[in-house]
Amino acid sequence: MAPRRPRDIDAELRALQDKARQLRAKQKAQLGELLLATGAADALDPDSLAGLLLHGLEQAKANPKAAESWRQRGEAFFRRAGSSAQKSGSGQAAAADAGAAPADPADAARLAAE
């Protein structure tokens, strides 16, 4: 029976840190894609977007039912965007269709207040 080889904990830790960095980069890219697909990046300046997100977090903590309503609305958005991508065969067309959705600041503020 061969002796058991010792684990290289440092190598495993480096691999996990690399994976975490990759996941954070992917998350940032997806957030940017979401902002573009919804039209929020064009309709609101970064300060307003940050304020809207902070307000949404406060509302979600205070009213979990509102957060569930937002989740359902987001799910419907992605279903709509996904179905148009399947029809067109292109992710860019889905982003263009999703960007055509109403994205004015009043709608965004109303969504945050729900």
Side-chain angles (χ1 to χ4, degrees), residues 39-57:
D42 296 329
L44 299 169
D45 63 276
D47 291 337
S48 297
L49 282 170
L52 184 64
L53 287 171
L54 291 170
H55 179 73
L57 286 171

Side-chain angles (χ1 to χ4, degrees), residues 59-71:
Q59 291 292 319
K61 288 178 185 174
N63 185 1
K65 288 183 181 181
E68 176 59 20
S69 170
W70 302 339
R71 188 200 62 74

Side-chain angles (χ1 to χ4, degrees), residues 28-48:
K28 286 177 186 178
Q30 288 175 334
L31 181 58
E33 291 171 7
L34 178 63
L35 289 173
L36 293 172
T38 60
D42 296 329
L44 299 169
D45 63 276
D47 291 337
S48 297

Side-chain angles (χ1 to χ4, degrees), residues 4-12 16:
R4 198 170 126 195
R5 195 175 66 182
R7 289 174 60 180
D8 187 353
I9 303 288
D10 290 335
E12 290 179 25
L16 286 172

